[in-house]
Amino acid sequence: MAEFINSMIGQEGATFGYVVAALIHCVLLLHVVAVGALIFIWLERKVSGRIQDRLGPTRVGGKFGWLQTLADGIKLLAKEDVTPDGADQMLFKLAPYVSFAASFAAFLALPFSDGWVANNINSAVFFVLAVLGLEVFGVILAGYASGSKWSLFGAMREAAQVVSYEIPLGLCVVVPVFLAGTMNLVTIGNMQAGWFSNWFLLHDPFTFCVFWIFFTCATASVNRAPFDLAEAESELVAGFHTEYSGLRWSFFFMAEYGSMFLVSGLGVILFFGGWNGPIPIMHIIGWADSGGLTGYLANLAGCVNFMLKATVGVTVMMWIRWTLPRLRIDQVITTCLKYCVPLASACFIGAVGWEVLDIWSPNHLHLGTAPAHTVNEKWATAPRGLPNAIEPLMPESEQHSKDGLLPESEQPAPEQAETAGASQPARTSLLSASSQQEESP
């Protein structure tokens, strides 16, 4: 996008294009978080209503209450912004923005389709988990700066919970990263292209179990019930945001719903094929790798597919909240250290053993797999276990080097070739003999 903007103004490599592209990316991601919170709050009211045998919002904005969240937002804007007398003025006002900024910044490395990412980095998995963990600093600041013991208790609970669940969460994420051989989320999503049998969820039984551990830890890391001890209203009034009201109170919930969508999207990319549907329609009709308008439409369909999958994950979190009772804080930590960590470690060892022993899995079918996309880790995208595996394209010079040949323009003179052949060490001949023995039946 930056190159396109610079070409429009006739200044190649100018800083202006990159600044404008960064602003466009930030505005788009901000709409994802804000509009997503608008929809998810309405959805949670409807889901909780149905589970409790109610109808939920039915009056504001039509039969289904579409504008209920918008009316709530206007109400929060009109409410008075009160700061307690005993609070730390600066930290109290800063805490909601710290939480929201951490949730928002993690979206910078989350791809929504093939190449549709604000910042395509090779360590995207690590970046998302690391930045998402910074959200707890806003909660700690809010609890400390409020000058209330209830807020402080809730903040300390959140800190202990988030730090504890980052350990099994990281162990679960390592499994698909190991299978893909890369931490680039775009590469991981493209490696699962084709039919649903290519999804990492179906690679082996251990990876299948790892996803459910990941989903449990992700639910706890975003402070959702039954792990929402930081805001347990039956014990701590409202937890870390007891003293907040108005717009600052809403920033905490926008950060929470944004984090819910983020971890659901991360799970979709790591386990459920990312933007690739269960049936590769765009690959079948030849639009996925065509470029131009058809390629754009294929990416748009992949983006819609990705957002629908992530929304299903958010809906399941809501379903769990209104179904299971809240745990005690000791039970939350026990679930992490005594169950999630050992199970995640065992599944990691099992997945590694499954891969090392090269046991058959549905992923080895490579149904509907197209030629590898242009990615940095090209070695990781070649299908395994197939006699006619499609290898990524490489420059002609690299292909000659791989085959042991040189282009005609670089062929040595006959006398140079004889001198080089005579000076080869004996180790080369031994390696050639051993390779011939391995190739013989």
Side-chain angles (χ1 to χ4, degrees), residues 7-352:
S7 64
M8 293 292 291
I9 62 177
Q11 296 183 2
E12 298 295 334
T15 307
F16 177 78
Y18 292 95
V19 173
V20 174
L23 291 176
I24 293 175
H25 289 157
C26 290
V27 170
L28 290 176
L29 292 178
L30 188 62
H31 280 77
V32 170
V33 179
V35 178
L38 197 72
I39 297 173
F40 293 147
I41 291 174
W42 171 86
L43 181 62
E44 179 145 27
R45 291 181 175 224
K46 300 298 286 188
V47 170
S48 62
R50 292 295 179 178
I51 291 177
Q52 298 172 353
D53 199 18
R54 298 184 290 106
L55 297 178
T58 57
R59 297 184 180 182
V60 182
K63 180 179 179 181
F64 298 100
W66 301 107
L67 300 180
Q68 182 65 55
T69 308
L70 183 60
D72 291 341
I74 296 174
K75 179 196 69 174
L76 290 174
L77 288 173
K79 291 186 69 173
E80 182 181 3
D81 187 13
V82 179
T83 302
D85 294 334
D88 188 311
Q89 300 287 331
M90 185 185 71
L91 296 181
F92 182 83
K93 296 178 179 179
L94 185 64
Y97 307 114
V98 172
S99 291
F100 180 79
S103 177
F104 169 76
F107 278 90
L108 295 176
L110 184 71
F112 289 78
S113 189
D114 184 11
W116 286 20
V117 56
N119 191 7
N120 187 11
I121 56 179
N122 290 335
S123 57
V125 175
F126 173 78
F127 178 86
V128 170
L129 292 180
V131 175
L132 186 62
L134 298 178
E135 185 183 350
V136 70
F137 286 103
V139 176
I140 295 175
L141 286 178
Y144 169 78
S146 295
S148 169
K149 62 179 181 180
W150 308 117
S151 300
L152 184 60
F153 287 160
M156 293 301 102
R157 285 183 174 186
E158 175 79 356
Q161 179 176 315
V162 170
V163 172
S164 299
Y165 275 91
E166 281 183 349
I167 300 172
L169 186 65
L171 288 173
C172 295
V173 168
V174 165
V175 174
V177 168
F178 163 76
L179 297 178
T182 175
M183 288 195 293
N184 190 319
L185 289 174
V186 177
T187 307
I188 294 174
N190 288 334
M191 289 182 65
Q192 301 174 74
W195 292 79
F196 64 92
S197 60
N198 295 339
W199 294 356
F200 286 160
L201 180 76
L202 304 178
H203 182 272
D204 56 78
F206 301 101
T207 308
F208 182 83
C209 296
V210 157
F211 165 73
W212 299 107
I213 303 173
F214 168 85
F215 190 80
T216 302
C217 298
T219 304
S221 66
V222 296
N223 193 33
R224 292 291 295 183
F227 305 100
D228 59 339
L229 272 299
E231 53 187 71
E233 68 276 359
S234 60
E235 307 170 20
L236 305 178
V237 186
F240 64 93
H241 55 73
T242 300
E243 305 295 340
Y244 283 89
S245 63
L247 184 62
R248 289 193 178 89
W249 180 84
S250 66
F251 269 98
F252 282 116
F253 281 89
M254 279 197 291
E256 179 177 321
Y257 284 106
S259 300
M260 289 169 61
F261 184 83
L262 181 71
V263 296
S264 297
L266 183 62
V268 166
I269 295 176
L270 295 177
F271 297 97
F272 284 93
W275 43 89
N276 301 293
I279 302 175
I281 298 177
M282 294 300 166
H283 287 83
I284 293 175
I285 63 179
W287 286 13
D289 301 301
S290 60
L293 179 60
T294 55
Y296 174 83
L297 294 177
N299 279 339
L300 181 61
C303 180
V304 173
N305 185 19
F306 170 80
M307 298 187 75
L308 287 176
K309 290 180 182 178
T311 302
V312 171
V314 175
T315 306
V316 174
M317 289 185 183
M318 297 175 183
W319 180 16
I320 293 174
R321 173 183 179 180
W322 298 101
T323 303
L324 299 179
R326 179 182 292 121
L327 301 177
R328 299 194 312 266
I329 184 60
D330 61 311
Q331 293 173 332
V332 170
I333 303 302
T334 299
T335 302
C336 172
L337 300 180
K338 287 190 176 181
Y339 297 100
C340 290
V341 172
L343 289 175
S345 302
C347 290
F348 171 73
I349 296 174
V352 171

